[in-house]
Each structure stands twice: as structure tokens, then as C-alpha cells.
Amino acid sequence: MPRVVSVYFPFLTTDRVRTHGGEPVSPDQPLVAISRSGSKRWVSAADPAALRVGLRIGTPASKAQAMIANLAMVDASPREDADALDRLALWALRQYSPVVAVDGTDGIAMDTEGADHLQGGEGLMISGLVNRLRGRGLTARAAVADTWGAAHALARLSADETTVVPAGQTAKAVTRLPIHCLRLPPETIHGLRVLGVDTVGELSAIPRAPLTLRFGPEPGRRLDQLFGRLAEPIDPIRTPELVEVSRPFAEPIAAAETIAKYVRRLVAQLSSKLEEQGLGARRVDLVCHRVDNTIQCLRAGLAKPVRDPSRLGKLLCDRIEKIDPGFGIEKLTLVAVMAEPLEEKQVASSLVEETVTDISPLIDILANRGQRLYRLAPVASDVPERSVTKVAPTADETRATWLAKWPRPSRLLAHPEQIDVVALLPDQPPAVFTWRGKRRKVRRADGPERIFGEWWMRRQEYEAVRDYFAVEDETGERYWVFRSGDGADAGTGSHKWFVHGVFG
């Protein structure tokens, strides 16, 4: 079942002015955007600081100036807001979902079916989305629901930054919402309120015939879209720079073999277009338009730019079973939503130098199955937990190396685990230690290797030290343990013992 994400930008105009330029405004200064119609001027957008002091959308500009002495006012620019939404929608198309559209004048909508697993699930996806937008200086609220109407309403009416409505529970989540969430004309909302109808539940209880007779078909249509009784497909945003090919069908197709056949043909056409422009695809979307006016999508990401038809075709055809054709597919569209320059390179002769095996096809297969792939790279740090970092599987090699000459354990624990130790002297290695409820007697020990704190990272590490020992118990198991402190001065550490790693 399709799942829709609606992202709402409550302060798009003011966020845009503060983040992307315009008139200089102090960060603490209330900011509003002013719209004009003839001689009338009113507040069309207000930032949180302005709302806190009592300003509201629609407040006359003269009254707003009288209420707040240091109020900053800028002219509203609907065209710039619309351009900003288009850019945000294109960014979301490339990063999150194959189906993204602008949602009114203050948001975007995405169909995330088949794409949310690549982000760790719906909750992690929308929380990460909101955080990334915050990093760009934009305030956003996001909601996930079974229908576009429900997600649209909850994103705008919920006080939470993120809202996830479980599948099948849309009706329960929207029944008590006010009727203005239905995207109805203002005159219709006013007429319904005159009749005493204030919530979605009250409106849905009215018989459909008299409701349509008085207000036309729009209230009923919006109710059906809200509850999922009527499809409301999202028309994906498209821009001229996107490389796209499509194939309509006179007769709908449904068999997996037939879909795969035409997918391979579309891949060949897309590869030809990419070659003409000197590009390779980094992310491709297969969009299936069904006869019931709904959309099914597949997204394939690649570790590096590719335009090899066999490789692209395999990535898509291996996942065709995830497509539900319903009563048939009437159109297939293949889009390279992310493309980068691709230059042909000479393959080195094995007689001259060793050929490097390209593992990016394997990386692509695993990553498109939802696996999060990375490799570890060294960091120039003496502190063990800071000496490695996660990088992309195909990232360039770093020049950093491990500086330690002492052996390191094959398994480093994510966090050092405290142990109970019996030692002959405070600065001697353990004679006996207890870890995870098991007592171990030490037969051999090597050390200490002293590691000093990195005072330039944290002031608390100016005097801190650790003394590491490689110890072996009576069963032959080898551990990497350390004492926090030098064994004499309390200012260098707590003098507690920890296990930090296990030798293979």
C-alpha cells in the first residue's frame, strides 16, 4: 500500500530571507513578510519570534509596526518561495523518493513506497529529513500516512516535528481534525461552519446527497481522498536536466517477464541518451503507471557513475517482483535522477601492471537490498576509539595511517567495559580479572603501553593517561585491557580497569 510523506515549511519565506540573503536582519529580531494589494498591506508570513509576540497571518502591516518597535519587514515574494519549493522538491527527488511533487505553496509531498527501507524505515527517514533541512536553515514538519490528504493535514496541524501514522489507521488519526485541513475553498469552509460542522468526523457523518447538493462534489471528493477511498496520485516533478525515457502501452502489461523485457529496452535507450551527454547514472528510478491511476516505483542507486545497459538492467530486473501491476501497467518511465560526468578509461594491460578488481557491482547489489555498507579507514590518533572512521565503500584512500607500533586487537569494543581486577601493585598488570561475570586468571601479560589524552580535543584530557596491557588467561584467550590513570596520581584518571578489545 502506498505511503505518503508530506513536508510542511511553516516559515519558508522568513527562513529563506535569513538563510539565503536579502535585507540584513538580526537573529533575535522578529521578521515578517508583507503582501500588498493596492493600498492594503498585511502580514503574509511571520517567523517564530514574531508569532510569540502576538502577530498573526493577516494582521495589517500598520498594526504590526505599532505592536513591535523593532519589527523587521520584507516584501513577500511568492515567486521566490515557489522557486525554493521547486529546488527542495528536486533535492528530495534525488535523495529520498522517485515520486515527489510540490504540495501547495508551503510544502512538498513524496510517495515513499519502496524507498523508505534505504533510509532505515519511515521514522528514521523523516527525522533525518527534518534534521537535514534544519542544517540548511529551514524549519520543517513532516508526517507519514496512507494518503496524501492525511499526511498533508497532520504535517500542518500536529505540534510534533515528525508524525508517523501506522498503516491502516488513517481514519482514527484524522477524525477529530478541523475541516480546514481538507484543502477546501474558504467559502465552503465558512458555509460548513455556519451549519455547525467543525471536524472531519462531523462532516463525514453528513449524508452525501444533501452535502453535494449544497456544496457541490468537492467536499465529498476531498473526504474520499483523505480516507483513501479515492486515489490521489502524486505527479512527479520533472526538470529539463533529468535524462528520461518512457514507453506507453496500447494494452496494459502485467506479467513479470513482459515488464522485464521492456525495462531492458528502456535501459538501453537511457544508456544511449547518457552516452550522448557524456554522463553516467548514479541513481535511476523506474516509474510504473498503473491503469487504476496509481504509481509503482523502483529505485536503484549506484556507487559510481554507470551507463552499462547490462548492469543497470540487472539491478532493476532483479527487483521486479516488488512491483504490483494491479490490473495492468499502461506506461513505464525510466529516469536518471542523479547523473555525473563519465569518462571512458583505458584498461591497463596485465602484462604491464596488475589489474584492480572492480567490486562496485557487488556493492550496488548489496546496497539496493537495503544493506548499509561502509569500510573502515585509519585516523591519525593515539586514542584507539578515535583511530578509525567509517567511509563509503568506494571512497578514495586516505593518507592517514595508524601510528602505534604495538599490536592492536582484531576486535575493538564499541565502548570500554569496566572489569574487576586484582593486581600485585597499582602500576602492575592484572593477576586476575572478572569480565561479564566470568573470573579469569592471567598467565601472561605484556605492557604497559601508555597513551596520553589529546588535550587539543578536550580540556579534561590535558593530564589524562591510559596504561594498556595485552593479557592472556589460562584458556589461551587474549585481551586488551587498560587502567585509567598512571596508578599514582588521581588527576590522571580514576584508576579503574577496563577491557577495550579482544585479540583473534
Side-chain angles (χ1 to χ4, degrees), residues 310-326:
S310 60
R311 184 167 162 186
L312 290 172
K314 178 176 175 55
L315 284 178
L316 292 171
C317 292
D318 283 351
R319 298 169 58 209
I320 280 181
E321 72 277 1
K322 294 185 177 294
I323 296 177
D324 178 11

Side-chain angles (χ1 to χ4, degrees), residues 39-97:
S39 60
K40 294 183 179 180
R41 299 167 64 242
W42 68 92
V43 175
S44 59
D47 72 350
L51 294 176
R52 282 195 297 268
V53 296
L55 288 184
R56 295 293 180 265
I57 306 302
T59 301
S62 56
K63 182 179 179 180
Q65 285 180 303
M67 290 174 60
I68 307 174
N70 65 335
L71 180 66
M73 304 172 63
V74 296
D75 290 334
S77 179
R79 181 181 294 277
E80 291 186 18
D81 286 347
D83 291 342
L85 277 181
D86 287 340
R87 291 193 297 271
L88 287 166
L90 186 58
W91 170 77
L93 174 72
R94 290 169 172 163
Q95 298 294 327
Y96 288 96
S97 170

Side-chain angles (χ1 to χ4, degrees), residues 44-326:
S44 59
D47 72 350
L51 294 176
R52 282 195 297 268
V53 296
L55 288 184
R56 295 293 180 265
I57 306 302
T59 301
S62 56
K63 182 179 179 180
Q65 285 180 303
M67 290 174 60
I68 307 174
N70 65 335
L71 180 66
M73 304 172 63
V74 296
D75 290 334
S77 179
R79 181 181 294 277
E80 291 186 18
D81 286 347
D83 291 342
L85 277 181
D86 287 340
R87 291 193 297 271
L88 287 166
L90 186 58
W91 170 77
L93 174 72
R94 290 169 172 163
Q95 298 294 327
Y96 288 96
S97 170
V99 182
V100 181
V102 173
D103 188 6
T105 60
D106 55 8
I108 59 177
M110 304 185 292
D111 184 341
T112 62
E113 183 184 16
D116 59 318
H117 73 283
L118 298 175
Q119 305 289 337
E122 292 176 342
L124 288 176
M125 179 182 68
I126 63 172
S127 61
L129 170 62
V130 169
N131 288 334
R132 291 180 71 179
L133 290 169
R134 184 185 295 112
R136 292 168 172 247
L138 295 171
T139 306
R141 294 203 297 264
V144 187
D146 292 337
T147 65
W148 185 351
H152 174 97
L154 292 168
R156 286 153 180 78
L157 296 177
S158 175
D160 299 328
E161 274 193 341
T162 60
T163 304
V164 178
V165 179
Q169 298 187 23
T170 297
K172 180 180 178 181
V174 302
T175 300
R176 296 184 180 181
L177 295 181
I179 56 174
H180 69 258
C181 75
L182 289 172
R183 297 171 289 170
L184 292 170
E187 57 273 14
T188 302
I189 298 293
H190 177 73
L192 290 169
R193 285 177 173 163
V194 169
L195 296 178
V197 178
D198 292 318
T199 67
V200 170
E202 293 171 349
L203 181 61
S204 62
I206 298 177
R208 186 61 59 89
L211 181 66
T212 304
L213 183 63
R214 180 157 185 172
F215 297 101
E218 191 65 6
R221 185 175 73 89
R222 287 301 191 187
L223 277 176
D224 290 340
Q225 290 175 341
L226 181 71
F227 289 108
R229 297 188 290 261
L230 182 64
E232 187 179 10
I234 299 175
D235 188 17
I237 187 173
R238 291 291 182 261
T239 57
E241 64 267 19
L242 294 180
V243 183
E244 177 179 350
V245 292
S246 61
R247 172 64 186 266
F249 303 102
E251 294 293 334
I253 62 173
E257 297 81 3
T258 307
I259 297 173
K261 178 180 71 174
Y262 286 106
V263 166
R264 293 189 182 95
R265 293 182 182 180
L266 287 176
V267 166
Q269 296 176 26
L270 184 71
S271 298
S272 298
K273 281 195 171 185
L274 290 170
E275 186 175 7
E276 292 173 1
Q277 301 181 30
L279 300 174
R282 283 293 306 276
R283 188 164 295 160
V284 293
D285 291 339
L286 176 65
V287 183
C288 308
H289 302 264
R290 305 196 317 186
V291 295
D292 59 358
N293 205 25
T294 60
I295 290 175
Q296 290 275 306
C297 298
L298 282 182
R299 165 161 285 186
L302 298 112
K304 63 182 183 180
V306 170
R307 57 169 177 257
D308 179 10
S310 60
R311 184 167 162 186
L312 290 172
K314 178 176 175 55
L315 284 178
L316 292 171
C317 292
D318 283 351
R319 298 169 58 209
I320 280 181
E321 72 277 1
K322 294 185 177 294
I323 296 177
D324 178 11

Side-chain angles (χ1 to χ4, degrees), residues 227-432:
F227 289 108
R229 297 188 290 261
L230 182 64
E232 187 179 10
I234 299 175
D235 188 17
I237 187 173
R238 291 291 182 261
T239 57
E241 64 267 19
L242 294 180
V243 183
E244 177 179 350
V245 292
S246 61
R247 172 64 186 266
F249 303 102
E251 294 293 334
I253 62 173
E257 297 81 3
T258 307
I259 297 173
K261 178 180 71 174
Y262 286 106
V263 166
R264 293 189 182 95
R265 293 182 182 180
L266 287 176
V267 166
Q269 296 176 26
L270 184 71
S271 298
S272 298
K273 281 195 171 185
L274 290 170
E275 186 175 7
E276 292 173 1
Q277 301 181 30
L279 300 174
R282 283 293 306 276
R283 188 164 295 160
V284 293
D285 291 339
L286 176 65
V287 183
C288 308
H289 302 264
R290 305 196 317 186
V291 295
D292 59 358
N293 205 25
T294 60
I295 290 175
Q296 290 275 306
C297 298
L298 282 182
R299 165 161 285 186
L302 298 112
K304 63 182 183 180
V306 170
R307 57 169 177 257
D308 179 10
S310 60
R311 184 167 162 186
L312 290 172
K314 178 176 175 55
L315 284 178
L316 292 171
C317 292
D318 283 351
R319 298 169 58 209
I320 280 181
E321 72 277 1
K322 294 185 177 294
I323 296 177
D324 178 11
F327 295 106
I329 296 172
E330 60 184 2
K331 183 180 179 182
L332 288 175
T333 302
L334 188 62
V335 189
V337 294
M338 285 184 65
E340 297 177 0
L342 175 62
E343 298 180 358
E344 300 293 346
K345 294 183 178 180
Q346 173 88 24
V347 178
S349 170
S350 58
L351 296 175
V352 179
E353 58 184 88
E354 183 180 356
T355 302
V356 178
T357 303
D358 183 11
I359 64 169
S360 59
L362 175 61
I363 293 173
D364 293 339
I365 292 173
L366 296 176
N368 283 283
R369 291 176 180 173
Q371 304 295 326
R372 294 196 169 191
L373 305 178
Y374 62 88
R375 62 181 177 84
L376 297 177
V379 177
S381 174
D382 287 331
V383 180
E385 57 265 37
R386 296 177 186 160
S387 63
V388 293
T389 187
K390 295 178 181 179
V391 298
T394 57
D396 294 334
E397 294 291 338
T398 63
R399 295 183 178 180
T401 58
W402 284 298
L403 304 178
K405 297 181 180 179
W406 288 68
R408 289 289 184 259
S410 56
R411 178 191 171 199
L412 190 70
L413 302 182
H415 302 283
E417 298 182 11
Q418 188 173 346
I419 56 177
D420 295 326
V421 167
V422 175
L424 298 179
L425 293 172
D427 59 350
Q428 293 292 310
V432 177

